[in-house]
């Protein structure tokens, strides 16, 4: 299980564990996301040229760090590999393509994994990513961590002492409502929609909402939940 330095609530910054040594000044300057292999997409609203870079936080009594950036779920592209078996019309030799932000009735889908043959889509599966939304801001924690590692930051940023929180209820309600709208499209097309989320968020949803009917693996269900964490991967549930 991942550990974070006791002096910070930042577990990962720009994809790097904070308990490991790193050239943090260079890391902050590069603003590189290893999961997207490009500049971090989490920009500050007040300073759009600056990215936040916080992937995962230590929060409360959680047994493991809590992901707050959905792109953190893209590590090693494992989620796409785990969805290949849902492409029922995929055949050896077909090309696999990943399409981002595909518009559908009720919103948009983060990714679609598509099986392509002779330039035509033969099958596809939709993939939604969901991590925890925060209340307040984690920016001061980021700035204090960098200052601890001799990186110059604005004094006002680091001195801001208002705490941040994890918005469990609103995160869960929002994604469940979105799924309710989007599943209808995939069910109409006889395709699958997969929700990738951290296992602690799924555990919260199971405790707060009616999930007793969601169990086992049934071929043909339009929606799959794919929980994950840092230490182990669980099989999907339907």
């Amino acid at each position: 299980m991942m550990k974070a330095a006791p002096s910070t609530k930042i577990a990962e910054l720009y994809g790097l564990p904070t308990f490991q040594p790193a050239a943090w000044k260079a890391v902050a300057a590069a603003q590189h996301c290893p999961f997207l292999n490009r500049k971090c997409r989490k920009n500050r609203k007040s300073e759009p040229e600056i990215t936040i870079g916080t992937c995962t936080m230590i929060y409360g009594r959680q047994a493991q760090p809590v992901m707050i950036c959905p792109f953190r779920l893209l590590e090693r592209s494992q989620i796409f590999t785990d969805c290949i078996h849902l492409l029922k019309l995929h055949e050896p030799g077909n090309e696999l393509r990943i399409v981002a932000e595909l518009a559908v009735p009720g919103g948009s889908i983060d990714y679609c994994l598509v099986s392509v043959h002779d330039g035509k889509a033969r099958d596809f599966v939709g993939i939604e990513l969901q991590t925890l939304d925060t209340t307040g801001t984690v920016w001061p924690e980021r700035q204090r961590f960098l200052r601890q590692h001799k990186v110059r930051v604005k004094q006002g940023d680091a001195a801001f002492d208002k705490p941040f929180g994890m918005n469990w209820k609103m995160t869960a309600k929002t994604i469940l409502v979105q799924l309710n709208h989007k599943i209808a499209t995939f069910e109409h097309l006889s395709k699958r929609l997969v929700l990738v989320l951290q296992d602690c968020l799924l555990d919260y949803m199971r405790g707060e909402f009616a999930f007793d009917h969601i169990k086992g693996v049934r071929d043909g269900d339009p929606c799959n939940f794919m929980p994950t964490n840092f230490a182990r991967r669980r099989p999907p549930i339907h």
Side-chain angles (χ1 to χ4, degrees):
M1 183 178 295
M2 178 180 292
K3 297 180 180 179
S7 58
T8 182
K9 294 180 181 178
I10 305 288
E12 289 178 311
L13 187 65
Y14 294 108
L16 298 178
T18 56
F19 68 88
Q20 295 179 354
W24 291 110
K25 182 176 181 180
V27 169
Q31 303 185 79
H32 180 73
C33 172
F35 311 114
L36 292 171
N37 195 27
R38 52 155 287 174
K39 183 179 178 181
C40 173
R41 290 180 57 180
K42 294 177 64 178
N43 301 86
R44 290 203 79 200
K45 293 181 180 180
S46 58
E47 300 175 282
E49 72 282 2
I50 298 177
T51 58
I52 300 174
T54 49
C55 311
T56 316
M57 303 294 295
I58 301 293
Y59 183 73
R61 298 181 179 180
Q62 291 299 309
Q64 61 173 314
V66 179
M67 301 180 195
I68 63 171
C69 177
F71 301 118
R72 177 62 181 82
L73 295 167
L74 297 176
E75 184 177 17
R76 303 187 308 277
S77 296
Q78 184 68 42
I79 61 173
F80 302 113
T81 302
D82 289 348
C83 288
I84 291 176
H85 72 286
L86 298 175
L87 296 170
K88 298 302 182 181
L89 301 180
H90 177 69
E91 296 179 334
N94 285 14
E95 180 184 356
L96 290 172
R97 298 183 186 178
I98 299 171
V99 180
E101 298 182 3
L102 184 68
V104 298
S108 64
I109 301 298
D110 291 328
Y111 295 95
C112 274
L113 178 65
V114 187
S115 176
V116 178
H117 180 71
D118 288 340
K120 296 182 180 180
R122 299 301 184 186
D123 204 353
F124 66 90
V125 57
I127 302 173
E128 283 280 89
L129 310 180
Q130 185 63 58
T131 50
L132 261 296
D133 293 327
T134 59
T135 59
T137 175
V138 301
W139 182 254
E141 291 290 340
R142 172 200 193 271
Q143 297 298 78
R144 283 191 285 270
F145 169 76
L146 291 175
R147 188 174 63 179
Q148 291 169 8
H149 290 81
K150 313 301 180 184
V151 180
R152 182 176 296 180
V153 300
K154 294 180 180 179
Q155 179 62 31
D157 289 348
F160 188 77
D161 60 358
K162 187 176 180 179
F164 70 92
M166 296 295 168
N167 202 347
W168 297 90
K169 186 174 184 178
M170 186 55 66
T171 299
K173 288 175 63 176
T174 299
I175 190 58
L176 289 175
V177 170
Q178 290 180 359
L179 284 178
N180 187 51
H181 291 299
K182 296 174 183 178
I183 287 174
T185 298
F186 283 80
E187 191 168 22
H188 177 73
L189 297 172
S190 298
K191 302 302 180 183
R192 307 289 187 84
L193 177 62
V194 176
L195 175 64
V196 184
L197 71 172
Q198 195 172 359
D199 56 358
C200 58
L201 176 55
L202 180 59
D203 290 342
Y204 173 84
M205 291 164 62
R206 280 172 156 165
E208 296 295 320
F209 300 92
F211 263 63
D212 291 343
H213 61 293
I214 302 178
K215 54 187 175 181
V217 178
R218 297 184 304 181
D219 191 27
D221 282 334
C223 185
N224 293 22
F225 290 80
M226 185 183 292
T228 184
N229 72 5
F230 295 103
R232 64 192 184 281
R233 298 187 64 81
R234 296 182 181 177
I237 65 171
H238 307 260

